[in-house]
Amino acid sequence: MTPRATRTPRRRTVLALAVILAVMCGFLVRLVDIQVLSASANVKDSIDTGKLGTTRAIDGARGTIQDSNGTVLAESQLVYDITMDPSAMKGLEEAKTKPKLPWAEASDKIAEIIGESGDAVRKEVADALKANPESQYVQLKKGVNTDQFLKLRALDLAYLWPMPRSVRVYPNGAVAGNLIGFISGDGELTGLEQTQNKCLSATKGQESYLTGRDGVVIPGSQQEKPAIDGGTVKLTINTELQWYLQQMISEEVKAQGAKAGTVTVVEVGTGKIRAAAEFPSVDPNDPGAANPEDRGSRIFSTSFEPGSTFKAITAASVMEYANADASTSITGASSHEEFPNGAVINDAFEHPAYDYTLAGALIDSSNVALSKFGDMVSDQQRYDELVKFGVGSKTAIDFPGEASGVIHPVKDWDYQSHYTTTFGQYYTVTAPQVASAYQAIANGGVKIPLSLVESCTDGTGKVTEAPAPKPQRVLDATKDAELSRMIENVAEQGSVSDLIKVPGYRIAAKTGTAQKPDPETGAYKEGIYFTSMVGYAPADHPEYVVVVTLDEPTRVTSSAATAPAFQKAMTQVLKTYRVQPSTTPMEPLLPKYK
């Protein structure tokens, strides 16, 4: 039997141990709760409260721009700026234990990888040390690719530091460069890089963590919210067609001695722009190499008097408001006419007085005859028709720098402009507006707004289609069919008919020659023209509209200058999309005179 004196201290010891154990269990439970069960919340509180933690933004990659077939036109790539610490290299070289790869040998290997000479690398480092023996920074090469980075990392040099950064790359160079745009050195966006920035922009992520006094990250304190990469913009453009048309218009601009040229291709049934080629062009990889005026898109920014291409719209107004048709005629239109209001109108060629039909006036492109037809309707009616076909309004694309064109209110039309507006003067348009007007004619009188973007697929994979365009009827279907037949007769009987034929296909087309005003005097420049041609095919079942423009051609100054480019462009479009040849013969030719 244990004496009482012995039992009492033992009980006290057990009780003390029990108390200590209970306290330790409490601490342990609390520790598990703090560091395991509630770790994330506690770390967040410690980071948020009093800013005790370190937070670093995580950048996502900017999205890609693709053509209609998925060909990448713009993307972001990771590159590395290679820097080194000269003093660290010097310290290793001077240490008792020599490095595995001495600087003399390492510098040659570095140089070989980054595309420099060993002597150049050594001199750069030596110069830095000479200027400052404690120098810790020299940049050896900017923008090396991932393959080069991996080779440099394999050298295992403690003094070499690759600094990663994201750069914008345009794999197809100047192909569609004027449309795609670029990101300037100061971050300014142009072209589609600007208009589609919301889709392309990445959402930043965030990394947070706690560190001890020695700067070491506390285990378990790291929290990360991943970045979301930018989305993918899919365009309506066909890269292969775009490439061909850019090469072709470049050649034609040079052959015709012009300042610039463009080709616009629109799908009749959808209003989608399949190509928008121009020269001079810009390579977004090196925009500084192009003249400032060549870095945007002339297709959208240049407005011009359409000239004879919009005589078809005058015909549409006469058909709609005066119930005219292809055989409706006027009396005695000569090549020079003085009208009762004092206006003087001339044709581009000498001819006797003809009783032109409406079809004949378009075929011969007679300014005088169109002026007389224009008198059949009021100025307001012709104005309304021009507006309905898109004059004076930007396209639905609203491209950066896009011009809306100019159409003066009817109250500002004087005795001369009352007539000149019948043959495409005293108002201006852009190439897309011309394409849009003829898309409506080719589409049975239904105008579909032009589009350049198909969709945006965001970083999560969600696809947002571009808003569906709202078609608008601008001309009665029967009258439109009559007008389309007249435009086909222009292509068949007009002055450039032999130059624009595409074997196997019926073509509808109209040329335009516009005088260019002098910005200083306001008067037209003598012998200086902006020429254009627009048409669609097959005329019996239209699928594509093509617009070609040349700014100030000098070899041939009339609209005939655009005929070779139009024929080449239309041929390639029909070939690219494998459009079936015309299956029905053309109706009998329309008479030009009564």
Side-chain angles (χ1 to χ4, degrees):
M1 185 173 181
T2 305
R4 180 182 295 270
T6 304
R7 291 200 305 267
T8 298
R10 184 177 295 174
R11 287 174 181 171
R12 289 175 180 171
T13 301
V14 171
L15 182 61
L17 288 173
V19 171
I20 293 171
L21 183 60
V23 172
M24 290 181 64
C25 286
F27 276 118
L28 181 62
V29 170
R30 183 58 178 155
L31 187 62
V32 170
D33 177 59
I34 292 174
Q35 293 198 350
V36 180
L37 300 180
S38 303
S40 297
N42 292 330
V43 169
K44 185 178 186 303
D45 287 343
S46 63
I47 289 174
D48 293 342
T49 304
K51 300 188 181 300
L52 300 177
T54 299
T55 301
R56 182 178 67 87
I58 302 173
D59 292 328
R62 186 171 176 82
T64 63
I65 300 177
Q66 301 179 354
D67 81 342
S68 58
N69 297 315
T71 300
V72 175
L73 297 170
E75 63 183 345
S76 290
Q77 291 183 356
L78 194 64
V79 297
Y80 301 84
D81 295 336
I82 306 303
T83 63
M84 71 169 285
D85 183 338
S87 64
M89 179 276 294
K90 181 181 177 182
L92 289 173
E93 289 291 307
E94 294 175 349
K96 291 182 179 180
T97 304
K98 299 300 181 183
K100 294 181 180 179
L101 195 62
W103 172 237
E105 186 179 345
S107 55
D108 282 333
K109 289 185 177 294
I110 293 171
E112 182 181 358
I113 294 171
I114 66 175
E116 302 286 345
S117 69
D119 288 341
V121 170
R122 285 187 288 273
K123 182 179 186 304
E124 195 167 357
V125 174
D127 289 346
L129 288 171
K130 183 178 180 181
N132 178 13
E134 303 300 321
S135 173
Q136 296 180 321
Y137 178 84
V138 167
Q139 186 171 81
L140 298 179
K141 188 76 171 182
K142 291 184 67 176
V144 306
N145 58 38
T146 302
D147 182 57
Q148 291 171 301
F149 158 69
L150 293 174
K151 290 178 180 178
L152 288 169
R153 189 175 67 174
L155 297 178
D156 195 23
L157 299 171
Y159 48 77
L160 208 59
W161 296 93
M163 306 297 292
R165 61 183 172 88
S166 180
V167 296
R168 202 65 171 155
V169 178
Y170 303 89
N172 283 274
V175 177
N178 300 79
L179 292 178
I180 301 301
F182 52 87
I183 304 176
S184 66
D186 58 4
E188 183 180 355
L189 306 173
T190 67
L192 290 169
E193 290 278 21
Q194 175 185 334
T195 62
Q196 300 304 307
N197 188 48
K198 183 177 179 181
C199 176
L200 295 168
S201 293
T203 302
K204 288 181 179 293
Q206 180 176 284
E207 179 186 27
S208 302
Y209 52 87
L210 297 172
T211 59
R213 289 188 177 183
D214 57 359
V216 176
V217 176
I218 297 175
S221 70
Q222 299 99 326
Q223 288 186 336
E224 181 178 316
K225 179 183 177 183
I228 300 175
D229 291 342
T232 297
V233 173
K234 185 177 182 181
L235 304 181
T236 61
I237 295 294
N238 181 306
T239 299
E240 292 184 3
L241 179 62
Q242 178 80 19
W243 176 86
Y244 172 85
L245 293 178
Q246 282 190 212
Q247 302 304 309
M248 183 274 292
I249 198 61
S250 169
E251 294 171 0
E252 289 297 321
V253 166
K254 295 169 185 175
Q256 295 295 341
K259 292 174 61 178
T262 73
V263 184
T264 308
V265 179
V266 171
E267 196 169 68
V268 170
T270 64
K272 294 177 180 179
I273 296 178
R274 295 305 186 186
E278 51 193 286
F279 180 83
S281 57
V282 61
D283 182 348
N285 293 300
D286 187 17
N291 292 325
E293 61 269 24
D294 298 332
R295 296 173 193 167
S297 174
R298 281 184 172 84
I299 286 177
F300 287 97
S301 64
T302 299
S303 61
F304 53 93
E305 291 186 343
S308 297
T309 58
F310 264 58
K311 287 174 179 175
I313 310 305
T314 298
S317 67
V318 174
M319 296 172 74
E320 182 168 5
Y321 296 111
N323 205 31
D325 59 25
S327 62
T328 302
S329 63
I330 44 90
T331 303
S334 62
S335 57
H336 174 85
E337 195 86 21
E338 296 182 15
F339 286 88
N341 72 348
V344 177
I345 303 298
N346 296 297
D347 279 343
F349 61 101
E350 292 288 335
H351 64 82
Y354 291 133
D355 291 342
Y356 271 113
T357 63
L358 184 56
L362 290 179
I363 293 168
D364 279 359
S365 202
S366 169
N367 296 339
V368 173
L370 262 297
S371 296
K372 291 195 171 188
F373 277 109
D375 268 338
M376 294 182 178
V377 296
S378 69
D379 288 349
Q380 188 63 52
Q381 287 172 327
R382 285 197 287 111
Y383 174 91
D384 291 343
E385 197 75 5
L386 290 169
V387 170
K388 193 163 55 175
F389 273 88
V391 179
S393 300
K394 293 181 181 180
T395 66
I397 295 167
D398 197 16
F399 193 84
E402 180 176 355
S404 60
V406 175
I407 181 167
H408 302 280
V410 171
K411 65 181 179 62
D412 293 340
W413 293 17
D414 61 15
Y415 69 99
Q416 191 74 15
S417 55
H418 165 77
Y419 290 110
T420 59
T421 49
T422 66
F423 49 86
Q425 291 185 1
Y426 198 58
Y427 59 89
T428 63
V429 297
T430 62
Q433 288 173 334
V434 176
S436 181
Y438 274 76
Q439 176 276 326
I441 297 171
N443 198 41
V446 177
K447 181 183 176 184
I448 300 177
L450 303 187
S451 60
L452 192 54
V453 175
E454 295 266 18
S455 64
C456 166
T457 303
D458 68 20
T460 67
K462 179 184 177 183
V463 180
T464 302
E465 301 288 342
K470 296 180 180 179
Q472 174 193 2
R473 177 163 290 284
V474 295
L475 189 62
D476 173 79
T478 301
K479 289 180 171 60
D480 185 83
E482 182 89 343
L483 178 60
S484 186
R485 185 185 175 194
M486 285 190 274
I487 299 173
E488 183 180 5
N489 271 261
V490 173
E492 187 67 24
Q493 300 186 60
S495 60
V496 297
S497 60
D498 291 338
L499 300 176
I500 63 172
K501 291 183 183 299
V502 180
Y505 296 89
R506 290 166 52 185
I507 306 293
K510 186 75 184 78
T511 57
T513 305
Q515 293 174 287
K516 292 189 66 174
D518 187 323
E520 295 182 2
T521 65
Y524 287 119
K525 296 178 182 179
E526 185 68 29
I528 304 297
Y529 301 97
F530 190 99
T531 64
S532 62
M533 188 165 191
V534 57
Y536 50 87
D540 49 328
H541 184 68
E543 293 199 35
Y544 293 95
V545 172
V546 172
V547 179
V548 175
T549 72
L550 288 175
D551 189 2
E552 298 188 16
T554 56
R555 190 175 72 83
V556 177
T557 57
S558 70
S559 55
T562 57
F566 176 86
Q567 196 277 341
K568 293 173 184 176
M570 182 61 81
T571 299
Q572 188 62 35
V573 170
L574 297 172
K575 183 187 300 183
T576 296
Y577 288 103
R578 300 181 180 180
V579 177
Q580 293 296 313
S582 297
T583 55
T584 57
M586 183 180 177
E587 295 181 60
L589 296 179
L590 292 170
K592 295 198 294 183
Y593 319 114
K594 186 175 179 182

